[in-house]
Amino acid sequence: MSYRVAMDIGGTFTDVVCYDERSGTVTASKAPTTPGDLAEGVFAALGRVVEDPAGISFFVHGTTQGLNALLERKGARVLLLAGQGGRDVYQIARGNRDRMFDLRYRKPAPLVPRQDVMEAGGRLDYLGRELVPLDEESVRAAGRRAREEGYDAVAVCLLFSYANPAHELRAGEILREELGDDVLVVLSHEVAREWREYERTSSAVLEAYTGPVVRRYLARIERRFAERGLAVPVHVMQSSGGLVNASYAMRRPLQTLLSGPVGGTMGGVAAARLMGRENAICIDMGGTSFDVSLVVNGRPDVSAEARIEGYPVLMPIVNLHTIGAGGGSIAYAEAGALRVGPESAGALPGPACYGRGGTRATVTDANVALGRVDPAWFAGGLMTLDVEAAGTAVATLADELDMDPLLLAEGICDVANAKMAQAIRTLTVEHGIEPREFALVAFGGAGAMHAVFIARELGISEVVVPRFPGAFSAWGMLEADVRRDLTHPYFRSQDTLDGANMSRNFGTLEEDALAALSAQGVPEERRRVEHAVDMRYEGQDYTLTIPLRDAAEPAEPGFLETIAARYAEAHTGRYGHATPEAPVEFVMLRSTGLGSFPRTAAAAQEAPEERAAYVRDVIFDGAVHSTPVLRRSSLDGELAGPAIVVEETATTVIPPGCVATVDPNGFLIVKVNL
């Protein structure tokens, strides 16, 4: 058993990467996704890179099952059990207005309507002390209703359960007695043991809403593996950028919500490490969407909370900014001006050049019309593009706008590039980060086609195109660590802080994290734990997460002064100012258990017999350039633009004036002429 396999299951293609531990080679391929039974697409993709699946020693994949259920509002029917007097917490939500000047703004509709919310009697105080015992009969009544009315899941969120989960734990026992294993029971303190009642309720509801879909999918994948005699454990990517095995993911399905896109970020972390870079902007451009994430100081940019489709989530999650800009984004005229996206042609009918019935011009059609794509070897020869259909689609829109078709084609690309550059500014400039200090790591099926043009918009001088960029998210999953995140509420002012007590609490969290890694099968020598504390200035509402050196640091002399100085530095970096003389408060302790796997070697698969390069006319800046079209595996030394580099999973466009080289890791490094 020597194959380590990772798979990214997308809406159109299932991308797969295989690392052979014996030979040190890495191969990548893809197969059409099979929406009716995703397992069929999984095994079809495996067959492209592994001769004998019995040789697989490690398997990890990313799934968007939960996210798709949320986006399409096709999740489970959920009954919410709130504390007495708290029935309307989820409906009222927060009073602040997210978009101050949007007169049409509406809060997202709750996933659980008010008639599906019940109350359980009992009460704890803010320290977790019992004031009124749990009314067990009210919990049993909720269980009976869930069984009789056919609910798929029950979410339980009782007041102050983060301080003392006893009432929630007992409610969970009762509900499982009433419902058995057929109905998912979600306890809010297990999803997010953190303060903020509405946000914790929202997190529990999201897990209940998406959980049954994720659990059925993972159970089906494991069953299909077993039917084929494969004993390899199935691992899943988490939204935090770490891995867990499928059994844990079925218990905590919310952790997989952004499992697919996050793989690319972890690939960016690995690529930055291999190149000796600290900072990178990761861009993933597919057929429908454009995802942006950051690598800062060699680490993924992770937040302790996020909003997904307008719903708050309390869990560690990689900061991703997504817009509707991909190869399939449709160009159209509006009020005499050119618009691109967010509507996409999708996989069917797709861009006009796919020959599947599409007639509207897309970004991919514009690139085909400009000559920037090899139509005979698109996606490694899986598809031959219809150049004439692309030209017709672009010309039709050009007539509507009274423009030259080739000028319009460049305009379509320029508008898309400007939108994607603005998406990058949202994660960088708007947070006080200078994008010119970062390398741009481009992947996804269309990322390398637009990367240099986006870099010019932002003043970035270096673009990195990793090997098999179309399957880069899958490769990133092979480079990720097993990860378990634990939290402990810890409300203290600086005057009441007991450093030794904080250190003991961190020690307990560390023991729990190491035990969790052991349960995930991580060898002792590959386990480590990192600690951090959430802090704020006295009177502030929100916090910043400040890393610690180790669990013992809070007990050391001078800790308060040291951690306050770190907080002031972080506050300045995030908000542009700090108040060092103000007293600080501590809110939450965080410990992250990390278990590393052997990293994949840099060696790529041996290059096959190459077709000779050829030259074609390509449009850049309104002028025709004779441009060589080259297979990536044949590159050696420097390559001056203009050039088109093709490979099985992507196309890289190198405009005039830019120079590309292949580094020792097999990455294509493009120096951008600004």
Side-chain angles (χ1 to χ4, degrees), residues 185-203:
V185 176
V186 174
L187 307 181
S188 72
H189 79 275
E190 293 180 345
V191 179
R193 192 167 182 177
E194 302 188 30
W195 71 307
R196 298 186 190 282
E197 192 69 11
Y198 166 61
E199 285 78 3
R200 183 159 42 85
T201 303
S202 173
S203 301

Side-chain angles (χ1 to χ4, degrees), residues 410-433:
E410 278 207 285
I412 292 172
C413 292
D414 289 343
V415 170
N417 293 335
K419 291 179 65 175
M420 292 184 280
Q422 184 56 40
I424 293 172
R425 292 188 185 99
T426 300
L427 275 191
T428 55
V429 176
E430 292 184 12
H431 290 80
I433 295 173

Side-chain angles (χ1 to χ4, degrees), residues 434-583:
E434 174 53 72
R436 287 178 292 187
E437 298 174 359
F438 286 63
L440 189 67
V441 180
F443 50 95
M449 199 178 301
H450 291 260
V452 173
F453 303 98
I454 297 171
R456 283 176 173 170
E457 288 261 352
L458 297 166
I460 297 173
S461 61
E462 183 179 74
V463 169
V464 179
V465 182
R467 291 170 298 153
F468 29 81
F472 187 68
S473 290
W475 181 75
M477 295 174 196
L478 281 184
E479 296 294 312
D481 294 329
V482 171
R483 176 170 175 150
R484 289 291 301 275
D485 292 278
L486 303 176
T487 59
H488 178 70
Y490 196 81
F491 294 91
R492 302 286 191 281
S493 68
Q494 68 177 37
D495 295 332
T496 61
L497 175 67
D498 181 343
N501 177 266
M502 179 186 281
S503 181
R504 286 193 296 273
N505 277 277
F506 271 125
T508 301
L509 289 175
E510 182 166 326
E511 291 175 4
D512 293 343
L514 291 172
L517 293 177
S518 177
Q520 295 280 316
V522 179
E524 183 176 356
E525 66 276 10
R526 293 187 175 275
R527 304 174 204 156
R528 71 185 191 279
V529 181
E530 297 177 351
H531 304 283
V533 58
D534 286 2
M535 298 176 61
R536 63 188 180 189
Y537 285 128
E538 192 175 85
Q540 283 186 323
D541 190 19
Y542 288 89
T543 62
L544 293 175
T545 301
I546 309 302
L548 300 182
R549 189 179 65 252
D550 54 40
E553 186 181 359
E556 297 175 357
F559 169 73
L560 181 60
E561 293 75 13
T562 301
I563 200 69
R566 288 185 202 163
Y567 178 73
E569 182 181 359
H571 200 280
T572 301
R574 179 64 180 86
Y575 299 109
H577 66 90
T579 312
E581 66 278 6

Side-chain angles (χ1 to χ4, degrees), residues 610-614 629:
E610 290 297 340
R611 186 185 68 173
Y614 73 99
V629 179

Side-chain angles (χ1 to χ4, degrees), residues 635-665:
L635 297 182
D636 189 20
E638 285 192 349
L639 174 63
I644 306 295
V645 179
V646 298
E647 55 187 301
E648 184 175 354
T649 62
T651 297
T652 301
V653 176
I654 305 171
C658 298
V659 177
T661 56
V662 180
D663 78 355
N665 301 301

